[in-house]
Amino acid sequence: MAIGANILAIIFGLAGFRLSISRGWAVFAFYTQISNLVALLSSVAFLIFGAPASWFRYLGVCMLAMTLVVTLFILVPMGGGFEELMLSGVGLYHHTLCPFISIASYALFEPHAHAWAVPVIVTTAYGLTMLVLNAREVFDGPYPFFRVNQQGRRATVLWTAALIALISAISLGISAIAR
């Protein structure tokens, strides 16, 4: 089952990238794209190396879970539109199909790693990088909670703390489920 699920995750991940890459390399400013790339590469590593790739699969699955939760519970309610973000185009693949397939496969069929800090460190590094680029007006967004100059310091600190807490909870939760 794990082999089939990872093959499916690779196919869906590539389909999503085929749609998103038309925007150019700036598309990789989105955590969604980074998380899907990590998950895609981790699925390839799983097919080649098996159990030794479990820590990489864990990272990809945690990042995809973060993508799913943020999209569903933050971006959609902020006006992103459920159908647009979850059921069509790139969103169908990168916000819905890839996360669900990867999370289910990892939780149910694959060997597990317990390196909960790795997804927290990777996600925090991405977030802090985007905050600095937004503060210096090198980049705008790509998510509303990164727009430091529009939302102010207090909102930025609260968003940052909430998102770090969220990835920590996801990492610990997936680690607990996978035991």
Side-chain angles (χ1 to χ4, degrees), residues 20-21 44-45 57 66 69 71 82 90 94-95 103 105 118 120 135-137 141-142 145 148 159:
S20 65
I21 205 70
V44 171
R57 286 289 297 140
M66 180 73 165
V69 170
T71 302
F82 181 82
V90 175
H94 285 179
H95 294 153
I103 292 166
S105 178
V118 175
V120 176
R136 293 184 177 168
E137 297 182 350
F145 40 81
V148 177
W159 273 116

Side-chain angles (χ1 to χ4, degrees), residues 91-154:
L92 174 63
Y93 298 105
H94 285 179
H95 294 153
T96 304
L97 294 175
C98 291
F100 279 113
I101 290 168
S102 287
I103 292 166
S105 178
Y106 183 79
L108 299 173
F109 308 120
E110 298 177 30
H112 303 119
H114 301 287
W116 75 269
V118 175
V120 176
I121 292 166
V122 170
T123 300
T124 301
Y126 162 79
L128 294 176
T129 300
M130 294 312 296
L131 287 173
V132 168
L133 292 174
N134 273 261
R136 293 184 177 168
E137 297 182 350
V138 173
F139 208 88
D140 181 37
Y143 302 107
F145 40 81
F146 287 148
R147 294 190 169 109
V148 177
N149 299 322
Q150 289 87 10
Q151 70 186 1
R153 286 193 175 113
R154 182 170 186 218

Side-chain angles (χ1 to χ4, degrees), residues 20-90:
S20 65
I21 205 70
S22 64
R23 299 180 199 164
W25 291 105
V27 75
F28 288 104
F30 288 85
Y31 185 86
T32 294
Q33 302 301 324
I34 296 168
S35 69
N36 275 276
L37 180 61
V38 170
L40 179 106
L41 294 175
S42 75
S43 287
V44 171
F46 176 77
L47 292 177
I48 295 170
F49 302 110
S54 63
W55 73 270
F56 196 25
R57 286 289 297 140
Y58 175 74
L59 173 63
V61 165
C62 288
M63 291 178 72
L64 282 181
M66 180 73 165
T67 293
L68 175 65
V69 170
V70 168
T71 302
L72 204 52
F73 297 106
I74 297 173
L75 299 177
V76 167
M78 289 180 111
F82 181 82
E83 187 173 330
E84 178 185 342
L85 291 178
M86 302 297 294
L87 301 176
S88 64
V90 175

